[in-house]
Amino acid sequence: MEKIRLGISACLLGQKVRYDGGHQLDRFLRDTLGKFVEYVPVCPEVETGLPIPREALRLVGEAQHPQLVFSKSGEDVTERMTVWASQRLAALEAEDLCGFVFKSRSPSSGMARVKVYDANGVPSHNGVGLFARLFMEHFPLLPVEEDGRLHDPRLRENFIEAIFTFRRWRDFLAGGPDAAGLVDFHARHKLLLMSHSVELARQMGRLTARAGQLPEAELVGDYQQLLLRTVRTPATPAKHCNVLQHALGYFKRQLSGDEKQEMLQLVEQYRHGSVPLAVPLTLLNHYVRKYQPPWLDEQVYLHPHPVELHLRSGL
């Protein structure tokens, strides 16, 4: 698999592009995840032509349609950035991005909870950065996150799982998608999809069951819409427990009563937050290697991303 191409706010890579001439280097993004992705850095403010250093920007007005202005002079740069963004977004279409990481709380790049000031100068925290809003409208199904939220282990895992799934999907499309290939893709991703949404996974299963009946372009397009919706739906401990118990059903004849009980106890300990997901998964992977049950040993869910990222180990 080629490296995943991931858009990112340039300051998170250590580029000194912030209004005060500084940066917001995130070492996990640069040094750990960076081993597996190729970043496409974007700084809306500098690329719009604003200097370094510069007066700080802020959002003012209504949260749904705010203006982007300099905090002291009040100069409005909304149109300037909007015009630039339309060209930049068109260029990003050719970058084959699998996601984007935004800078939290930024009036240009924050994806949520950005300050918006009313006519009296009182802020609320319900805004979206101007460029981030335009990006998400332009790429509505692309996985997106911001650096602050990625400190949450579950949100980090969800996002990284989504971008790796999207990369596998892009690889499938590049190989010449057909009905048989789509059925195989879905079969290998079934447990992973169930960990995000059982209902959406069922819809995708019903769709692939019609392979050969629908025109391939329609089949693949509809499946892609459901796939991207599914991986953007957060996985939860309850959903993971359902998947683990489902997987255990494939060992009905191989496992002893004690072995099944050990697995079920670990699943319950994970459900209640006593152990991380990695614990029951390690035992499940042991059983898969030992007994090699058909279908289960091909499940992407067992190894959805590189172990070097140390995911699934947080409570």
Side-chain angles (χ1 to χ4, degrees), residues 1-195:
M1 180 186 295
E2 295 183 3
K3 279 193 172 184
I4 294 171
R5 291 180 64 76
L6 198 63
I8 191 171
S9 293
C11 60
L12 297 176
L13 297 180
Q15 295 186 20
K16 296 180 179 180
V17 292
R18 288 183 48 86
Y19 74 96
D20 58 0
H23 60 76
Q24 287 289 314
L25 173 63
D26 187 300
R27 295 189 181 279
F28 172 81
L29 292 172
R30 188 192 68 178
D31 301 335
T32 303
L33 185 58
K35 295 176 182 177
F36 305 96
V37 306
E38 181 181 348
Y39 285 117
V40 178
V42 179
C43 179
E45 297 175 24
V46 171
E47 293 184 33
T48 300
L50 303 183
I52 306 170
R54 58 187 172 274
E55 187 181 338
L57 292 167
R58 63 167 53 174
L59 296 176
V60 300
E62 298 180 3
Q64 297 303 314
H65 302 284
Q67 302 297 302
L68 183 65
V69 306
F70 283 111
S71 57
K72 293 182 180 179
S73 68
E75 180 186 349
D76 192 328
V77 297
T78 308
E79 183 177 0
R80 181 176 177 179
M81 183 168 289
T82 301
V83 171
W84 162 83
S86 66
Q87 300 171 343
R88 190 67 164 101
L89 292 171
L92 287 173
E93 290 179 2
E95 293 287 357
D96 198 29
L97 297 182
C98 290
F100 202 104
V101 181
F102 293 105
K103 178 68 193 83
S104 60
R105 299 186 296 277
S106 165
S108 60
S109 298
M111 61 174 278
R113 304 181 304 281
V114 179
K115 287 182 180 180
V116 182
Y117 293 82
D118 65 17
N120 297 317
V122 178
S124 61
H125 292 78
N126 57 352
V128 178
L130 178 57
F131 172 69
R133 181 189 297 276
L134 294 171
F135 183 96
M136 291 187 288
E137 289 174 353
H138 194 85
F139 301 103
L141 295 177
L142 207 63
V144 294
E145 260 302 349
E146 59 182 22
D147 61 313
R149 284 167 49 91
L150 288 176
H151 293 301
D152 182 309
R154 289 178 183 169
L155 294 177
R156 175 184 291 187
E157 180 185 330
N158 273 309
F159 176 68
I160 293 176
E161 188 172 285
I163 64 174
F164 273 88
T165 302
F166 199 17
R167 177 69 267 172
R168 287 188 294 272
W169 175 251
R170 287 270 179 85
D171 290 343
F172 163 69
L173 295 180
D178 57 25
L182 181 63
V183 171
D184 177 69
F185 180 93
H186 181 73
R188 290 185 294 108
H189 286 79
K190 182 177 179 180
L191 292 185
L192 184 144
L193 298 171
M194 287 175 58
S195 72

Side-chain angles (χ1 to χ4, degrees), residues 234-253:
T236 64
K239 295 174 188 176
H240 279 300
C241 288
N242 175 60
V243 170
L244 292 168
Q245 291 170 335
H246 182 82
L248 190 59
Y250 285 84
F251 299 95
K252 289 180 179 179
R253 298 182 179 180

Side-chain angles (χ1 to χ4, degrees), residues 141 169 172-173 177 182 185-186 193 200-211 213-230:
L141 295 177
W169 175 251
F172 163 69
L173 295 180
L182 181 63
F185 180 93
H186 181 73
L193 298 171
L200 288 174
R202 286 173 179 163
Q203 290 183 39
M204 297 167 77
R206 290 193 291 269
L207 183 61
T208 56
R210 300 179 66 193
Q213 302 173 22
L214 295 174
E216 286 188 358
E218 179 182 346
L219 178 69
V220 170
D222 289 349
Y223 187 90
Q224 175 173 289
Q225 293 288 317
L226 286 171
L227 174 67
L228 300 182
R229 280 180 59 195
T230 303

